Amino acid sequence: MPLHKGPGEPESEAEPNRRLALNPFYGLANPVGGMTEAPPRHRLPDGPLPPMSAYQLVHDELMLDGNSRLNLATFVTTWMEPQAGVLMAECRDKNMIDKDEYPRTAELERRCVAMLAQLWNAPDPGAAVGCSTTGSSEACMLAGMALKRRWAKRNADRYPGSARPNLVMGVNVQVCWEKFCNFWEVEARLVPMEGDRFHMDAESAAALCDENTIGVVAVLGSTFDGSYEPVAEICAALDALQERTGLDIPVHVDGASGAMIAPFLDEDLVWDFRLPRVSSINTSGHKYGLVYPGVGWALWRSPAELPEELVFRVNYLGGDMPTFALNFSRPGAQVVAQYYTFLRLGREGYRAVQQTTRDIARELAERIEAMGDFRLLTMGDQLPVFAFTTSDDTARFDVFDVSRRLRERGWLVPAYTFPANREDLSVLRVVCRNGFSADLAGLFIEDLRLLLPELRRQSGPSTEDRGAATSFHH
């Protein structure tokens, strides 16, 4: 279907008795009166509806979406405390961009940036610059823009005349990086998967760099299998490249998920601003930052990494407030919720929550492996995420059959094929988030165990088109 092109009005909606599909209670106060006609679905109604009637009609359709708590495909937060929901409701009418009109909301954003700068070991947390975004996708766009602009200034004698900028990253990056390269006319240089290596390695990254490379993107937590890319090794390889060639290639860490896991659970892992080559980091507040969608964060090591001409300034309490964003109007609710969560949990609270999700992921992975029908690719010991495929001697069903049958029981588990050079590998992936308790994990295992006998009796996999079956690999 073309973008933003909706279907035409079905003929059935013009039939007089379509109103019979509506509960008489949805009409006026007297249920005997009922509703004389059903509102159209794809054009504006001729007149208004009572608020409760409109609510019930929309509410009933949304019931078909399924239960977000059983969605093991999404990384996005699906549970918060009621107090956070109250705060978000109180702030949904505040426009985040109007910092001079909502100075306290702006102050909470500034505090969150300072907290993240300290969490990610910025050399001088007070000097680090950053901003909130609608999510990691916008944060990645902003980081990429900064990389390109810095490269363009260094190569003003060649660009845009003869030089074409490129960005080096693994083929496992989130689709927002492909969008960035497309929208901002940057060549995407992708390191393919090889064998049991499902993300970018340091040697391959350095080999793709040249004088037109604006940066290297290292992913702390691949969405394909939950694994961390070796950020320190990548930086070391680029250090060696600079010694040999003089090329000074910055690194951006896409920590959409891992940047809110590693600081609490992998404190000895060096991946952040402790590495001088890391110029910027992004994360999703609405993933393992534990906030409802949508909020993300982008931080730069210092003002030197963020070109001044990209920053717009507004008056803030008679002072100067810099802003850097692609979106303009958006609610302040998610930023307030992020500050609430930082305040509510602190370091130890975050550590407890993230450790719980990792423990559940690892136990769940072990129990799935013990069934004998599956082979684990990852164990959930980095991101609380793991990928698995069918075992070598399982021939009667495939991962797409499993995904389809689990959906019948309410579970959304993605099945997809890996990218180049491992298109031969199809996997299932489970994302464990806060709110996916050990009890729910036990129910998931029980449902998986109950459907296996029927799958084992199949004559063979029922998936004819794997391309069409692939889903949820975001």
Side-chain angles (χ1 to χ4, degrees):
M1 182 182 295
L3 188 64
H4 302 315
K5 180 177 175 62
E9 193 80 7
E11 291 184 6
S12 61
E13 294 194 354
E15 297 175 1
N17 62 357
R18 178 175 171 265
R19 66 181 180 83
L20 298 180
L22 302 175
N23 189 327
F25 280 95
Y26 289 5
L28 301 176
N30 179 6
V32 177
M35 294 180 70
T36 58
E37 63 178 15
R41 292 195 181 102
H42 304 293
R43 62 177 175 81
L44 281 174
D46 294 330
L49 287 174
M52 279 307 298
S53 300
Y55 167 80
Q56 286 294 162
L57 288 169
V58 177
H59 173 81
D60 284 0
E61 286 210 35
L62 290 176
M63 288 193 300
L64 297 175
D65 269 349
N67 187 335
S68 64
R69 294 282 296 281
L70 303 183
N71 184 353
L72 302 184
T74 185
F75 286 78
V76 173
T77 296
T78 54
W79 183 88
M80 289 189 76
E81 292 176 308
Q83 293 85 349
V86 171
L87 273 176
M88 294 181 76
E90 292 172 351
C91 298
R92 62 191 172 195
D93 59 342
K94 296 182 180 181
N95 188 357
M96 186 67 227
I97 204 68
D98 293 333
K99 299 181 187 299
D100 54 339
E101 297 173 24
Y102 304 111
R104 300 320 302 171
T105 303
E107 170 63 14
L108 297 190
E109 179 188 32
R110 188 190 67 79
R111 293 179 190 176
C112 287
V113 168
M115 290 176 178
L116 289 170
Q118 186 180 50
L119 186 68
W120 296 340
N121 296 293
D124 181 0
V129 292
C131 60
S132 67
T133 63
T134 54
S136 261
S137 293
E138 183 187 3
C140 291
M141 297 284 177
L142 298 180
M145 288 168 60
L147 290 174
K148 183 181 178 183
R149 185 61 62 92
R150 288 173 58 201
W151 172 87
K153 290 174 69 175
R154 294 194 305 269
N155 294 274
D157 58 328
R158 300 188 304 118
Y159 179 79
S162 59
R164 184 187 179 195
N166 66 72
L167 184 64
V168 173
M169 50 196 169
V171 72
N172 56 298
V173 291
Q174 215 267 356
V175 69
C176 67
W177 286 108
E178 298 177 39
K179 290 182 180 180
F180 165 77
C181 290
N182 187 9
F183 295 166
W184 274 271
E185 298 181 328
V186 173
E187 176 193 357
R189 293 190 174 179
L190 301 175
V191 175
M193 296 179 178
E194 296 290 349
D196 292 331
R197 176 180 59 76
F198 303 124
H199 55 229
M200 181 172 66
D201 65 303
E203 182 180 352
S204 300
L208 289 179
C209 293
D210 60 22
E211 67 275 8
N212 293 329
T213 302
I214 66 174
V216 173
V217 175
V219 180
L220 196 72
S222 170
T223 58
F224 279 89
D225 65 351
S227 62
Y228 294 163
E229 289 189 332
V231 183
E233 293 178 18
I234 292 168
C235 288
L238 295 175
D239 290 343
L241 179 68
Q242 184 176 7
E243 290 180 7
R244 296 194 308 270
T245 65
L247 294 176
D248 187 7
I249 311 293
V251 169
H252 171 79
V253 178
D254 182 351
S257 294
M260 294 305 296
I261 295 287
F264 306 109
L265 302 187
D266 308 299
E267 294 181 82
D268 294 333
L269 180 68
V270 178
W271 63 272
D272 51 18
F273 290 127
R274 287 170 288 183
L275 297 167
R277 196 165 291 277
V278 172
S279 65
S280 51
I281 301 172
N282 71 273
T283 196
S284 285
H286 62 230
K287 292 179 181 173
Y288 289 101
L290 308 181
V291 174
Y292 286 140
V295 60
W297 300 93
L299 268 70
W300 289 263
R301 169 184 293 276
S302 71
E305 278 74 30
L306 179 58
E308 178 64 27
E309 62 268 24
L310 294 178
V311 179
F312 289 80
R313 299 186 176 277
V314 296
N315 181 273
Y316 171 57
L317 294 181
D320 186 53
M321 170 60 74
T323 64
F324 185 29
L326 294 178
N327 289 291
F328 201 71
S329 296
R330 57 187 174 90
Q334 286 80 4
V335 168
V336 171
Q338 183 74 84
Y339 182 72
Y340 165 85
T341 308
F342 284 167
L343 196 66
R344 169 80 171 88
L345 292 178
R347 282 182 178 263
E348 290 306 315
Y350 263 96
R351 182 174 291 111
V353 170
Q354 312 298 39
Q355 186 65 61
T356 298
T357 56
R358 180 179 280 182
D359 290 345
I360 289 172
R362 294 181 67 174
E363 181 179 354
L364 191 58
E366 291 172 0
R367 295 176 71 180
I368 287 174
E369 185 178 43
M371 292 179 175
D373 297 89
F374 304 104
R375 175 172 62 88
L376 292 176
L377 276 65
T378 47
M379 290 289 297
D381 54 352
Q382 293 183 332
L383 289 190
V385 174
F386 62 93
F388 60 103
T389 188
T390 50
S391 60
D392 293 339
D393 55 355
T394 299
R396 294 183 180 273
F397 61 91
D398 59 16
V399 295
F400 303 103
D401 290 326
V402 177
S403 177
R404 187 163 46 247
R405 292 302 308 277
L406 284 170
R407 182 185 279 265
E408 294 173 3
R409 296 175 180 268
W411 300 102
L412 301 181
V413 181
Y416 51 89
T417 302
F418 271 19
N421 290 330
R422 289 306 313 268
E423 296 97 330
D424 60 307
L425 180 60
S426 298
V427 306
L428 293 151
R429 187 198 66 207
V430 171
V431 178
C432 297
R433 304 179 308 279
N434 184 41
F436 182 64
S437 64
D439 285 344
L440 283 176
L443 292 174
F444 172 77
I445 282 290
E446 185 60 26
D447 281 342
L448 180 58
R449 183 176 288 114
L450 287 173
L451 63 85
L452 279 176
E454 187 172 342
L455 288 173
R456 292 166 182 154
R457 289 194 296 269
Q458 290 184 176
S459 59
S462 60
T463 307
E464 297 180 0
D465 183 357
R466 290 194 173 193
T470 294
S471 60
F472 304 121
H473 56 274
H474 50 277

